[in-house]
Amino acid sequence: MPENRAVVYKEPGKVAVEDISYPDLVLRDGPGVNPLNVGRKCQHGVILKVVSTNICGSDQHMVRGRTTAPSGLVLGHEITGEVIDVGRDVEFIKKGDLVSVPFNIACGRCRNCKERNTNVCLNVNPDRPGSAYGYVDMGGWVGGQSEYVMVPYADFQLLKFPDKEQAMEKILDLTMLSDIFPTGYHGAVSAGVRPGSTVYVAGAGPVGLAAAHSAQLLGAAVVIVGDLNVERLAQARSFGCETIDLSVHSNLAEQIEQTLGIPEVDSAVDCVGFEAHGHGQGHSEAPATVLNSIMEVTRPGGKLGIPGLYVTGDPGAVDTDAKIGTLKVRFGLGWAKSHTFFTGQTPVMQYHRDLMMAILNGKAQIAKAVNATVISLEEAPRAYADFDRGVSRKFVIDPHGLIH
């Protein structure tokens, strides 16, 4: 049986690459596994040899100690791999298939899955609707920043690439289908972006850049990206976005007016989430800043896409309310402007096939937009540290040296 190594969360600010068990088709006990999930049989699942697995900003929240993630949790929910073993009940996925794994774990059988709301599957997480690999309070499914991983409900979930050789040529784009490309796209779609729209994207991290690129794919006339990080703003400008340096400018509406001639946009997308900072010099953490600012600058009747992560437990929050996800949001402003809010995990399966076709046919260059950077599994701890410092890269882990 092959060995298996993985990226493991140790304590705030520290991850390590360690030996873990080779996966089988049973969810066994371990860090973060809900007791009701222990021993769960997964003959509907497959074992993947991981071809690529990405470091996500959501992982970084845990590594910073901003969640209740337990020590020893195997990280990683952005997974692309080759099928090397299939369960007894798998009918259509075959050994040798190269597949993208939606980060949402979904059974395909419950009411929500049948209604395409795979982000809130009712059967995979005893704690709450919805689940993900290698993530706190998500049922304990083992993460995929590893050499090998088990994926349940394979026939329903997996997106098979039609041609393996063609897929490997575009693997740096296709690896983004597991999460950030559908997440950014969902943010733009749920914000109502359409041809001719003006769009403000809060945050120039990988998801923000994916949302900006998605807005362009949807035909937006102008995409404006705001951030506190000048390197990430430069990356947004590299593919045609307007930018606002929020470390200097505290008045977002005024800056938007300088670009558009009016102080508002048609649509806005929050790609920051609960660790948001205030705007202007001397800024500090103020978690409701982005939500309040996008209400301020979005036109009456507009929509707000909110794929940025918000949590119900944040031990490092700035105040008692924020520790349980209670924020001082100007809901009255949103009500007065008849805004529509879209929140929650992205239902990846609603989008990943269309986005795959856009990649394979040269219509989307998501790897370039997010500055995809390949690293080995052993380099993951350094990459986490670099990402935490704000480098403008999307780190893609190549556990087996298959990406050329």
Side-chain angles (χ1 to χ4, degrees), residues 55-67:
I55 296 175
C56 181
S58 298
D59 298 320
Q60 197 71 61
H61 292 304
M62 290 187 291
V63 173
R64 290 190 186 117
R66 297 300 296 268
T67 71

Side-chain angles (χ1 to χ4, degrees), residues 183-251:
T183 293
Y185 191 81
H186 176 65
V189 168
S190 58
V193 177
R194 59 185 186 273
S197 293
T198 57
V199 185
Y200 174 67
V201 176
V207 170
L209 296 172
H213 184 48
S214 298
Q216 293 173 333
L217 289 175
L218 290 165
V222 182
V223 179
I224 304 171
V225 180
D227 202 289
L228 302 163
N229 183 315
V230 294
E231 182 181 344
R232 290 179 170 181
L233 291 172
Q235 181 65 25
R237 288 193 297 274
S238 75
F239 59 95
C241 299
E242 302 292 331
T243 61
I244 299 173
D245 182 353
L246 295 169
S247 70
V248 176
H249 303 290
S250 59
N251 191 320

Side-chain angles (χ1 to χ4, degrees), residues 54-391:
N54 316 325
I55 296 175
C56 181
S58 298
D59 298 320
Q60 197 71 61
H61 292 304
M62 290 187 291
V63 173
R64 290 190 186 117
R66 297 300 296 268
T67 71
T68 56
S71 178
L73 185 73
V74 178
L75 299 169
H77 56 270
E78 301 190 15
I79 309 164
T80 304
E82 180 184 4
V83 177
I84 60 172
D85 197 9
V86 298
R88 178 195 62 219
D89 299 333
V90 177
E91 186 174 0
F92 304 113
I93 295 294
K94 306 298 182 185
K95 288 184 181 180
D97 287 347
L98 186 61
V99 297
S100 177
V101 183
F103 81 89
N104 323 110
I105 302 172
C107 72
R109 305 165 186 182
C110 69
R111 173 182 177 177
N112 285 348
C113 284
K114 290 176 179 179
E115 293 177 355
R116 302 183 73 211
N117 295 316
T118 54
N119 52 318
V120 280
C121 174
L122 300 174
N123 289 331
V124 290
N125 181 6
D127 289 318
R128 66 183 73 176
S131 188
Y133 304 88
Y135 212 82
V136 60
D137 295 333
M138 288 292 178
W141 300 90
V142 179
Q145 287 176 15
S146 56
E147 294 175 314
Y148 302 93
V149 68
M150 188 268 281
V151 173
Y153 305 104
D155 280 330
F156 176 65
Q157 293 195 105
L158 295 180
L159 175 66
K160 176 185 172 181
F161 299 137
D163 184 287
K164 288 176 69 174
E165 184 176 343
Q166 179 195 29
M168 287 305 298
E169 291 175 357
K170 292 183 176 288
I171 193 65
L172 287 184
D173 292 290
L174 294 172
T175 191
M176 307 303 168
L177 291 175
S178 56
D179 183 355
I180 70 160
F181 197 7
T183 293
Y185 191 81
H186 176 65
V189 168
S190 58
V193 177
R194 59 185 186 273
S197 293
T198 57
V199 185
Y200 174 67
V201 176
V207 170
L209 296 172
H213 184 48
S214 298
Q216 293 173 333
L217 289 175
L218 290 165
V222 182
V223 179
I224 304 171
V225 180
D227 202 289
L228 302 163
N229 183 315
V230 294
E231 182 181 344
R232 290 179 170 181
L233 291 172
Q235 181 65 25
R237 288 193 297 274
S238 75
F239 59 95
C241 299
E242 302 292 331
T243 61
I244 299 173
D245 182 353
L246 295 169
S247 70
V248 176
H249 303 290
S250 59
N251 191 320
L252 178 60
E254 183 179 88
Q255 294 303 306
I256 287 175
E257 185 172 20
Q258 289 190 15
T259 298
L260 299 178
I262 56 174
E264 64 182 21
V265 291
D266 297 319
S267 305
V269 187
D270 170 10
C271 296
V272 179
F274 73 104
E275 287 192 66
H277 276 232
H279 300 161
Q281 296 180 356
H283 60 82
S284 60
E285 187 168 319
T289 297
V290 172
L291 294 172
N292 288 328
S293 65
I294 62 175
M295 283 190 284
E296 179 189 355
V297 301
T298 301
R299 69 175 179 84
K303 297 180 179 180
L304 312 178
I306 308 172
L309 176 67
Y310 289 87
V311 296
T312 56
D314 175 9
V318 295
D319 56 46
T320 302
D321 283 341
K323 287 183 178 181
I324 58 170
T326 300
L327 307 180
K328 295 181 178 179
V329 176
R330 294 185 63 196
F331 190 77
L333 175 61
W335 190 94
K337 298 178 77 172
S338 293
H339 283 158
T340 302
F341 297 75
F342 287 81
T343 68
Q345 280 190 34
T346 297
V348 170
M349 293 177 67
Q350 289 192 25
Y351 306 110
H352 64 175
R353 185 173 298 277
D354 289 347
L355 295 176
M356 175 187 74
M357 294 303 293
I359 289 169
L360 293 178
N361 290 283
K363 303 301 182 183
Q365 290 81 39
I366 185 64
K368 180 180 178 182
V370 301
N371 195 18
T373 303
V374 179
I375 60 171
S376 70
L377 189 66
E378 301 298 330
E379 292 174 302
R382 172 65 64 85
Y384 267 98
D386 289 344
F387 193 25
D388 191 48
R389 287 195 293 269
V391 298

